[in-house]
Amino acid sequence: MNNTFESTIVDCLDALDRGESADAILARHPAQLADLGPILAAAAGLAGVDLAPARATQAAARRDFLTAAAAVRDAAPTPVRSARPSAWWRRRPMPAIAGMAAGVALVIALGVRSGPALPGDRLYPLKLAVESGRMALTWDEAGRSALYEALNQRRIKEVKALIAAGREAEVGFAGRAEPLGGGRWVVAGLVVRLAPTTQILGDLNPGEHVHLSGRLVGGRLLATTVICLDDLPNWSPALGATPDARGVPTAAGAPGP
Amino acid sequence: MPEDAALLAGARLLDSEALATIHDSYYPPLFRYILLRVGHREVAEDLTSEVFVRLLAALHKGTAPQSTLRGWLFGVASNVVADHQRQAYRVTHTALDDGLVSPGAGPFEHIAARLTQETLLHAVGGLTEDQQHVIALRYGSELPIREVAEALGKSEGAVKQLLARAVARLAKVMQPVVEGVGDE
């Protein structure tokens, strides 16, 4: 392509952008009609082609995006505790200690009562609240890490119990993921099905440590969100893991792009 | 487009309203850009969603842009398309030079009437990566020349030149299709 003709094309495309008709533009270049015609046709075709996304598809993508954002938000680290006790602590230590003792006793009592509850049971939210309380009262990192692991094992046992009982429920737990093929993975010993709609945050590779949220339907576990924890360089159970609103142990870090 | 900086401030807090606004504002132009690059709607839908997953990950890791969301998103879209094309190269490149279309082409209306969406999308797949990129930004995302130039880090003149060559080559790629239809 010589420079003169290239400049002519640039001028013609500018004219198209300004809203001139192709016929009017071509009329100014009668000697180059045969060469410019297909080029302007291509440009006009590009400008006029319908490339809009389907409204339903965009809406579904939006819903999935916001659901994934909520999952990540739930995985956010808990606020750092103040190193200094609040003023009323120092002014009235005895009532504070008594109140805390009563709270701990209540937590223990409720914990015992709600211990066997499964997702979907009336007492299950209470069980999660008790677990949250235990996590909040566990100050050292090693203790939090151990408690996180214990609670995660509890979540996995609950899923197994739900499957055995043929019940449907929203569940979540963490574990190593290994591929089975056909869209199926094994996570923490449980077979999980990944659908095209499953949100995968990070690169899901064999052996990846993941946190999985999903739904039990007809004895099958369908993943809705998979967060790849190995992609979270700053993540550690001791620092950030805590039961979220659903009582699911979650991560504090971020999945890589 | 809404103010990126204000939206990003909300997005960094994973605020649902800010994230929804970002999705509503940028999904259509990103989809059009990607569709022009890959030529297949379902693939474009998947890849557009992947761009937003990467945004979410970047927001959570603190690596998201501070003020220029649009450029960042289209950069990610370009990378996502490149990753996809590395995995499954969609078209066989036709060995074409940058020469002009044959002088036997018919009048404008005759050819334009035969340009279907499929023909165009398929033909774009026959361009070089740079040419696809500039066409997708200009005609897919409907960015003005100035913003295409910013996105590519080139002058407006250089972008116009690149675009002229890309459209000329596109016309040449489409020529056999158009002539085939015209011979019927």
Side-chain angles (χ1 to χ4, degrees):
Chain A
M1 183 186 303
N2 64 54
N3 290 341
T4 305
F5 188 65
E6 193 172 275
S7 297
T8 303
I9 297 174
V10 169
D11 291 342
C12 290
L13 294 180
D14 282 346
L16 267 184
D17 285 347
R18 289 194 301 270
E20 281 192 51
S21 74
D23 286 334
I25 297 167
L26 289 174
R28 292 202 297 270
H29 304 279
Q32 295 165 308
L33 181 68
D35 293 333
L36 284 175
I39 293 170
L40 291 192
L46 281 168
V49 69
D50 177 19
L51 300 170
R55 188 171 294 183
T57 305
Q58 185 178 344
R62 183 187 200 266
R63 187 181 59 242
D64 292 345
F65 174 60
L66 295 178
T67 301
V72 173
R73 191 166 50 236
D74 288 345
T78 50
V80 177
R81 293 186 194 88
S82 169
R84 299 174 58 197
S86 57
W88 69 270
W89 244 109
R90 284 177 281 181
R91 289 198 306 269
R92 297 182 172 183
M94 289 310 292
I97 292 169
M100 286 174 65
V104 170
L106 182 62
V107 163
I108 292 170
L110 292 175
V112 170
R113 177 96 183 243
S114 62
L118 294 175
D121 288 348
R122 192 167 51 85
L123 283 178
Y124 193 69
L126 190 59
K127 179 179 180 178
L128 301 185
V130 170
E131 290 177 356
S132 294
R134 286 181 63 193
M135 186 65 87
L137 291 171
T138 304
W139 300 90
D140 64 295
E141 291 186 5
R144 287 173 65 82
S145 182
L147 180 56
Y148 166 86
E149 185 51 38
L151 294 178
N152 188 52
Q153 289 304 317
R154 183 181 286 183
R155 296 288 89 82
I156 294 166
K157 284 181 182 173
E158 288 169 356
V159 175
K160 291 176 179 174
L162 288 165
I163 292 173
R167 289 173 52 179
E168 296 187 0
E170 304 284 344
V171 297
F173 56 90
R176 295 280 168 200
E178 297 294 344
L180 273 185
R184 294 180 308 156
W185 288 68
V186 174
V187 178
L190 295 163
V191 177
V192 181
R193 291 166 195 275
L194 271 61
T197 54
T198 302
Q199 289 286 316
I200 301 174
L201 304 182
D203 295 324
L204 180 55
N205 297 309
E208 186 89 20
H209 188 207
V210 303
H211 180 270
L212 180 140
S213 299
R215 180 164 182 78
L216 279 170
V217 180
R220 291 178 174 178
L221 178 52
L222 309 175
T224 51
T225 305
V226 178
I227 301 176
C228 300
L229 302 177
D230 290 345
D231 291 345
L232 310 179
N234 299 323
W235 182 83
S236 97
L239 291 174
T242 178
D244 66 5
R246 297 178 307 277
V248 176
T250 55
Chain B
M1 297 284 179
E3 285 296 321
D4 281 358
L7 277 180
L8 278 167
R12 276 193 289 277
L13 300 173
L14 297 173
D15 174 68
S16 293
E17 195 172 329
L19 292 172
T21 303
I22 288 172
H23 198 274
D24 292 345
S25 302
Y26 288 104
Y27 186 95
L30 286 168
F31 175 84
R32 293 194 300 265
Y33 168 84
I34 293 173
L35 177 57
L36 261 182
R37 296 289 309 274
V38 301
H40 192 283
R41 279 191 170 266
E42 288 183 8
V43 174
E45 287 165 3
D46 288 346
L47 297 185
T48 308
S49 291
E50 173 67 17
V51 173
F52 285 98
V53 167
R54 293 192 186 190
L55 170 64
L56 206 51
L59 287 169
H60 199 48
K61 288 173 75 174
T63 56
Q66 298 299 308
S67 58
T68 54
L69 184 56
R70 180 190 294 189
W72 189 89
L73 285 172
F74 281 106
V76 171
S78 177
N79 291 338
V80 165
V81 169
D83 290 347
H84 167 76
Q85 289 176 335
R86 269 195 292 273
Q87 289 171 13
Y89 200 61
R90 182 174 62 86
V91 292
T92 303
H93 259 251
T94 310
L96 292 173
D97 58 25
D98 278 339
L100 304 179
V101 295
S102 70
F108 175 79
E109 294 82 358
H110 175 78
I111 298 168
R114 285 164 172 76
L115 297 180
T116 64
Q117 178 171 322
E118 289 73 22
T119 306
L120 274 166
L121 294 179
H122 181 76
V124 171
L127 304 181
T128 67
E129 190 171 338
D130 276 354
Q131 290 170 338
Q132 285 182 28
H133 196 42
V134 73
I135 278 188
L137 285 173
R138 179 69 189 92
Y139 295 104
S141 303
E142 298 175 351
L143 296 183
I145 292 288
R146 178 179 54 79
E147 292 189 21
V148 175
E150 286 175 9
L152 297 178
K154 295 178 185 291
S155 68
E156 290 187 32
V159 166
K160 286 184 177 183
Q161 197 174 38
L162 182 59
L163 197 60
R165 288 179 182 171
V167 176
R169 183 163 180 164
L170 185 67
K172 182 154 187 168
V173 172
M174 288 191 297
Q175 192 72 11
V177 179
V178 174
E179 286 181 343
V181 174
D183 293 343
E184 289 172 0

